[in-house]
Amino acid sequence: MAKVCILGGGFIGRFYADSLHGQRGRDRVSVVYARREETAIRFASDYAVPHYFTDMEEAIKYSETEVVVIALPNNLHETAVNLCVKHKKAVLCTKPLGRNAEEALRMTKACEEAGVFAGYLEDLCYTPKFMKSLISVKNGAIGRILWSKSRETHPGPHSDWFWDINMAGGGAILDLGCHCIEIARNFIGKDIKPVEVMCWADTQVKPIDAEDHAIGLVKYENGAIGQFEVSWTFRGGMDLRDEVMGTEGTIWINSFLRTGFEMFTSGAGEGGYVAEKAESSSGWQFPVGDEAHELGYTNMFTDMFNAMEKGIEPNETFYDGYVVNAIIDAAYQSAKTKLWEPVQLPEWRGQVGVQKPSVYNEYDADHWFIKDEILPNGDKKVILKKKTTGEIIELETWKEVGKK
């Protein structure tokens, strides 16, 4: 059993506590830190946490703290990580790891040099549908991955600091794009280097300095493309969707808004909470059965604590968080210049010099294969390219009369 200290008594800290204490989990939150005493007291009461603090370092170094979970605003992540390093406490940090790649790399190296276990809490890489899909991808079920698109959109974050560019470090790209980018990295291959980014971003609705809507393309060294669509302006709830295209198949994932659970209500009864970012408690509703599990939190903590006990790396590490931050930095630069911008990765630990695979598949000694297709009347066409001249031709096989 791990004794956990949660830093932050707000929205995400509560999600983490629900996940850790749910399903009779053996890992317990023993310590909580919050800036305001009333928040700490309420959290401690709600989750039966025996010890609370309003001093971050006191909470981290406390004897009942074995593992620190950071659920704080982005501008406090590095301070909290450095205190964990100072007091040799294992640390798990919410996403994004840093406000930029420079911060993230400092945190990564600080933990590695001190020998402190460090896990990156990227929950959407632990959802049941994502994990099942990733197994299929790794088993080659859809062939070589060509394109991975991930979308997260909702009406905007739940706390004031998200909307402050100095505290948060960015807007929707940093808040939501970190999820989408890491999802694509998993599908394409974390050892494949991201090389450049093209991004459009704008502030379309909210009176803030950061972007509230963005679309980006991430080009990888093997020719694959990752795509993210993020928004704080989407109305109707939280939309989490992924799509993966390979040479042999496609995967579509809908993780939250339209999951098969739909309900209409006139608004009768007590109403109340429906699902994260839901905007109404009447009309058509799209509840989520076990929200913490469907968002990946339970699988995420299982992986983190199992890895800690076995002395191995978790599926999502601080280094992963650093690579994500580097891609986001390039996205912000591209949004300014309107150009493809290189991903700056002074610390790259994956493959180097990966080449885009050949597009030429042989049909016979004289032709390259393009495609074949059965037509509505049963005829078959094969589209080919002549090796010698480059001419595109088609071979047509007519369906025999009388055959079904």
Side-chain angles (χ1 to χ4, degrees):
M1 182 185 86
K3 296 178 181 179
V4 179
C5 167
I6 291 183
L7 305 181
F11 179 88
I12 193 63
R14 286 176 169 271
F15 250 129
Y16 288 165
D18 286 335
S19 305
L20 289 165
H21 288 188
Q23 307 299 319
R24 301 185 69 180
R26 67 180 186 271
D27 304 302
R28 308 302 295 176
V29 181
S30 301
V31 181
V32 63
Y33 156 81
R35 215 166 23 90
R36 295 180 300 188
E37 187 172 25
E38 60 268 29
T39 301
I41 291 172
R42 184 184 181 197
F43 189 103
S45 174
D46 289 347
Y47 294 101
V49 177
H51 311 286
Y52 68 86
F53 294 86
T54 55
D55 182 296
M56 189 191 303
E57 185 166 9
E58 291 299 316
I60 291 170
K61 74 178 185 181
Y62 189 60
S63 59
E64 290 292 297
T65 295
E66 296 176 346
V67 182
V68 176
V69 173
I70 299 173
L72 296 169
N74 299 346
N75 62 312
L76 298 176
H77 290 186
E78 188 170 16
T79 297
V81 167
N82 287 337
L83 287 172
C84 291
V85 168
K86 176 182 176 181
H87 296 286
K88 301 295 184 182
K89 299 293 176 81
V91 57
L92 311 178
C93 185
T94 191
K95 63 79 198 174
L97 180 57
R99 289 175 292 181
N100 52 59
E102 188 178 342
E103 279 187 1
L105 186 56
R106 286 199 300 264
M107 287 184 265
T108 300
K109 287 189 171 182
C111 291
E112 290 176 347
E113 291 168 4
V116 168
F117 181 93
Y120 179 49
L121 298 181
E122 178 39 85
D123 57 290
L124 294 188
C125 288
Y126 290 95
T127 70
K129 291 177 182 177
F130 171 83
M131 294 180 74
K132 184 71 172 180
S133 299
L134 188 59
I135 291 171
S136 296
V137 168
K138 288 185 174 180
N139 287 340
I142 64 171
R144 175 168 56 91
I145 302 305
L146 306 173
W147 172 64
S148 175
K149 181 177 77 170
S150 185
R151 168 186 172 91
E152 181 171 3
T153 61
H154 58 55
H158 48 267
S159 294
D160 55 1
W161 66 264
F162 282 94
W163 305 91
D164 183 328
I165 195 169
N166 294 315
M167 295 182 71
I173 297 175
L174 191 61
D175 178 35
L176 308 179
C178 60
H179 289 304
C180 302
I181 289 166
E182 186 63 354
I183 287 169
R185 284 190 69 229
N186 272 273
F187 284 133
I188 292 168
K190 287 187 183 180
D191 61 339
I192 304 300
K193 190 175 184 179
V195 291
E196 54 184 350
V197 180
M198 170 63 79
C199 181
W200 164 86
D202 198 3
T203 308
Q204 293 188 311
V205 177
K206 312 294 185 182
I208 57 173
D209 296 325
E211 76 290 347
D212 60 17
H213 194 177
I215 299 171
L217 297 174
V218 183
K219 189 185 297 182
Y220 287 81
E221 197 171 45
N222 67 349
I225 289 286
Q227 180 177 338
F228 63 82
E229 301 174 2
V230 296
S231 182
W232 284 349
T233 66
F234 176 78
R235 304 307 299 268
M238 183 162 70
D239 188 11
L240 302 177
R241 280 182 281 168
D242 306 316
E243 185 175 348
V244 194
M245 183 178 75
T247 54
E248 303 296 329
T250 301
I251 296 173
W252 293 338
I253 308 170
N254 195 327
S255 293
F256 207 77
L257 188 60
R258 301 300 291 269
T259 62
F261 185 177
E262 302 178 12
M263 176 182 73
F264 178 86
T265 173
S266 65
E270 296 182 4
Y273 183 83
V274 176
E276 183 181 346
K277 303 299 187 293
E279 294 195 272
S280 173
S281 57
S282 63
W284 279 106
Q285 305 291 301
F286 307 101
V288 178
D290 183 340
E291 199 164 334
H293 183 60
E294 290 300 319
L295 287 173
Y297 294 113
T298 50
N299 289 332
M300 177 179 72
F301 282 117
T302 297
D303 175 52
M304 293 293 162
F305 289 117
N306 284 346
M308 208 177 303
E309 290 174 0
K310 294 175 183 178
I312 61 175
E313 286 192 337
N315 290 340
E316 294 293 324
T317 67
F318 270 26
Y319 180 77
D320 291 316
Y322 155 65
V323 175
V324 169
N325 268 126
I327 294 171
I328 289 171
D329 287 353
Y332 279 122
Q333 185 64 20
S334 175
K336 292 177 182 176
T337 65
K338 316 300 182 189
L339 300 170
W340 284 96
E341 291 289 346
V343 179
Q344 303 293 343
L345 283 167
E347 185 88 13
W348 173 245
R349 301 173 183 177
Q351 298 185 62
V352 177
V354 177
Q355 297 294 312
K356 178 182 174 181
S358 172
V359 298
Y360 291 95
N361 294 310
E362 192 171 79
Y363 180 76
D364 58 27
D366 300 316
H367 300 92
W368 300 115
F369 175 76
I370 296 178
K371 70 163 290 186
D372 57 16
E373 182 175 348
I374 302 295
L375 303 180
N377 67 349
D379 293 348
K380 181 179 180 180
K381 279 191 177 182
V382 181
I383 311 298
L384 304 172
K385 181 177 181 178
K386 289 185 177 181
K387 292 183 178 180
T388 54
T389 66
E391 180 186 358
I392 306 296
I393 65 169
E394 65 180 46
L395 304 179
E396 189 170 0
T397 304
W398 288 5
K399 177 184 175 183
E400 293 184 33
V401 178
K403 285 194 173 182
K404 294 183 178 180

